[in-house]
Amino acid sequence: LTGCGGGAGDRRDGPGGRSRGSASPAAPRSGGAWIPGFLADMSLEEKVGQLFVPAFSGRADADRMIGKYHVGGLIYFPADLSTPARTAAQSNRFQRASKIPLLLGVDEEQGLVSRTPFVTRFPGNMALGATGRPDDARDQARVTGSELRAVGINQDYAPVADVNVDPRNPVIGVRSFGSDPALVSRMLQAAIGGYQSAGVAATAKHFPGHGDTSTDSHTGLPVIDHTRAQWERIDAPPFKAAIASGVDAIMSAHIVVPRLDRSGDPSTLSKTVLTGLLRRDLGYQGVIVTDSLQMAGAREKYGDSATPVRAVNAGADQLLMPPSLPRAYKAVLKAARSGKIPAKRIDEAVTRILRLKEARGLFRDARADPKRAAAAIGTGASKATARRVAEHAVTLVRNDRDLLPLKGKKVYVSGPKSDVLTSALRRQGVRTTSLGAADVAVLTTVNAGSATAARVRSLGAKPVVVAALGRPYDLDRAAGAAASLAAYSSSAVSVKALARVLTGRVKPTGKLPVRAGGEPVGHGLTYK
């Protein structure tokens, strides 16, 4: 990183008297004692810029955002991520262009939401919930975080803290660890520790809890009717656990919870929720970042200029993905100059952002090594960790007359990822054949819902095994099957783990993290 100028006595220096952006790994941590002087030497334009984390379209666009708007960070999407080496080099270029180290973030939850094309693939959060093993959550986050940091990404917008209590939830589902607040809390704490031990800022989301809605906040404004008591019992425990773990950031949700705030505003724009509930009641002092401001749940009530101003005054420190950075920046800067956003509110937000950047070592060394990036990703050890997590997750929900494992049986396979499963079964020594010649039919589903029952019936009188590769709620419609399992993911690593369980090579140990297949949370069978 290039320095911004000035010597050891320059108040714009970071920890240890280093120039902002110093690449020296020896710079000591100071606990933030340098921040007030650093902040005092920043212009209002620089301070306002730190609040923004936009998406970008190419290097020139990013350079303009860094140079003209002094943004505090950028968010990567798949189009911005080619190879590990090129991504690492790009991250370095962006850091060199910025006077203050950038938070370079990505939505890499693993499982259903995965933005980084080259990282080691893991099953995702509900699969982790099914393992019941915090060590698995920690290991998955540590591997993912290490691979992200190898390419210069230093913030992950993960893990999800939502407790998924609505099977119809269109936006969370398997992104959640489960429906039991205690289970979600344990797994969340472990994941936070894994990310942050890898030098990547963890972001618990979506406050105050997005798990009980049938509306997608990307396309509408969900209303959750939890009382304060229900919120305390269901939604709050994971966020309390995240705060106790020292989570770097918490992301707000674009949802309305009338029993928590009567204004009708989405939580992202609610001072009652962000400053009252999260800051005052839960005692959180870290960075609050909004969910994407491009989402309908944030934009539809006040528009693209008023929304970021309201978010900052509500208590948000960072504004993620404004639809128009120039418009949003201009609006926030104007509000800050006029006093509509108090100077104290701006300084509080920037102070938290600088503390986060210091905590993740960005003032000491934010660089990646392009020559070593590829070698740090997809290692044998990382793949072995993914395989272990996937195997621990597979949950045997039903097994009438000990139909499983599939030893010595001829098997017909149909449904999503049937080709991958067929190949994996063959490698385990299973003979796959046509439906007419088979002893057993294996049907895979991915969020088939009510169609599951008809698909089971279409396979005729043969014993049917249903394997849910997405939401386990498909098993609620699989009553006609003789056996059923949940893998929670259609990734290759999960399908191959399913094959090893179906054949008995691996005994199932997963437990349902949500109610499914007529069975309660915690249910899970194994082989004799």
Side-chain angles (χ1 to χ4, degrees):
L1 296 176
T2 58
C4 66
D10 190 336
R11 285 171 49 171
R12 296 167 74 90
D13 291 352
R18 304 285 179 177
S19 295
R20 287 189 294 176
S22 168
S24 170
R29 291 186 62 178
S30 65
W34 57 274
I35 291 178
F38 189 99
L39 187 70
D41 203 33
M42 292 175 67
S43 68
L44 181 60
E45 290 80 4
E46 288 177 314
K47 292 177 182 179
V48 169
Q50 285 296 298
L51 310 184
F52 287 95
V53 183
F56 61 96
S57 56
R59 179 180 176 182
D61 190 34
D63 287 344
R64 180 180 62 87
M65 292 175 173
I66 294 168
K68 184 174 182 178
Y69 298 106
H70 322 287
V71 295
L74 297 167
I75 182 170
Y76 279 145
F77 281 89
D80 311 314
L81 304 164
S82 53
T83 67
R86 289 176 180 173
T87 302
Q90 174 177 258
S91 297
N92 289 346
R93 285 196 301 270
F94 293 158
Q95 294 289 10
R96 286 194 298 269
S98 180
K99 291 181 179 181
I100 299 174
L102 297 167
L103 285 167
L104 298 178
V106 70
D107 257 330
E108 189 52 66
E109 298 173 13
Q110 291 284 2
L112 189 63
V113 176
S114 180
R115 309 290 194 217
T116 321
F118 42 71
V119 296
T120 300
R121 291 284 165 238
F122 283 85
N125 283 349
M126 193 167 284
L128 285 169
T131 74
R133 306 180 192 214
D135 284 349
D136 282 351
R138 184 176 295 106
D139 289 345
Q140 174 173 311
R142 176 184 50 78
V143 169
T144 302
S146 296
E147 294 185 349
L148 294 177
R149 192 66 193 249
V151 299
I153 295 172
N154 50 49
Q155 181 165 15
D156 196 358
Y157 296 111
V160 171
D162 303 314
V163 181
N164 199 77
V165 293
D166 188 344
R168 303 168 300 166
N169 195 324
V171 67
I172 303 300
V174 293
R175 297 169 64 193
S176 166
F177 289 111
S179 62
D180 175 15
L183 172 65
V184 174
S185 297
R186 290 194 300 273
M187 305 306 282
L188 184 78
Q189 284 188 307
I192 290 167
Y195 285 121
Q196 295 183 181
S197 71
V200 169
T203 310
K205 60 186 187 184
H206 309 77
F207 189 83
H210 209 317
D212 192 8
T213 176
S214 57
T215 301
D216 187 341
S217 53
H218 292 83
T219 56
L221 183 58
V223 177
I224 296 179
D225 199 34
H226 283 188
T227 64
R228 176 64 184 251
Q230 286 176 309
W231 179 81
E232 291 278 4
R233 177 171 54 87
I234 298 170
D235 305 292
F239 290 102
K240 291 179 179 178
I243 293 167
S245 297
V247 69
D248 287 304
I250 291 178
M251 179 180 286
S252 67
H254 305 324
I255 58 173
V256 174
V257 189
R259 308 288 188 93
L260 300 182
D261 177 11
R262 298 177 182 177
S263 71
D265 286 343
S267 294
T268 293
L269 309 182
S270 169
K271 189 171 185 178
T272 299
V273 171
L274 298 189
T275 299
L277 203 58
L278 183 51
R279 292 273 188 231
R280 185 189 64 234
D281 294 359
L282 299 191
Y284 179 59
Q285 294 304 314
V287 169
I288 298 175
V289 57
T290 71
D291 204 343
S292 169
L293 296 181
Q294 295 183 12
M295 294 165 61
R299 303 174 67 185
E300 66 178 22
K301 188 170 183 180
Y302 295 109
D304 294 344
S305 294
T307 291
V309 174
R310 285 179 171 269
V312 174
N313 274 331
D317 303 306
Q318 283 196 309
L319 305 166
L320 183 63
M321 296 174 61
S324 167
L325 176 61
R327 180 183 298 176
Y329 179 89
K330 181 180 178 181
V332 173
L333 183 60
K334 180 180 178 181
R337 284 173 172 163
S338 70
K340 185 174 182 180
I341 299 177
K344 181 182 178 182
R345 174 79 272 277
I346 296 289
D347 284 354
E348 287 172 348
V350 177
T351 295
R352 292 189 184 105
I353 293 164
L354 294 175
R355 283 177 180 163
L356 188 161
K357 292 180 177 184
E358 182 190 39
R360 293 301 130 230
L362 303 189
F363 283 94
R364 285 173 287 152
D365 196 350
R367 297 171 302 177
D369 187 341
K371 294 181 180 179
R372 297 183 180 180
I377 293 171
T379 65
S382 295
K383 290 178 180 177
T385 300
R387 172 176 169 163
R388 183 181 74 246
V389 170
E391 289 177 350
H392 289 167
V394 177
T395 307
L396 181 60
V397 177
R398 185 176 182 180
N399 192 21
D400 292 352
R401 297 183 297 279
D402 294 328
L403 178 63
L404 298 176
L406 297 171
K407 294 179 179 178
K409 299 180 176 73
K410 293 179 289 184
V411 178
Y412 171 73
V413 183
S414 66
K417 301 291 182 177
S418 57
D419 54 341
V420 180
L421 181 56
T422 296
S423 297
L425 288 172
R426 286 174 178 167
R427 285 195 295 272
Q428 300 297 325
V430 172
R431 180 182 172 188
T432 59
T433 185
S434 64
L435 179 60
D439 301 315
V440 178
V442 176
L443 171 68
T444 60
T445 69
V446 177
N447 306 335
S450 60
T452 303
R455 294 178 187 177
V456 172
R457 290 193 299 269
S458 71
L459 296 172
K462 293 184 185 297
V464 176
V465 178
V466 174
L469 303 183
R471 298 175 186 172
Y473 309 116
D474 283 356
L475 302 185
D476 292 336
R477 305 302 181 97
S484 60
L485 307 93
Y488 313 96
S489 166
S490 61
S491 64
V493 69
S494 292
V495 176
K496 292 173 183 177
L498 173 65
R500 290 190 286 273
V501 170
L502 286 169
T503 59
R505 185 68 60 90
V506 171
K507 286 188 176 182
T509 58
K511 306 293 182 183
L512 286 172
V514 297
R515 288 187 58 86
E519 301 294 347
V521 172
H523 171 80
L525 306 174
T526 192
Y527 300 143
K528 297 177 181 178

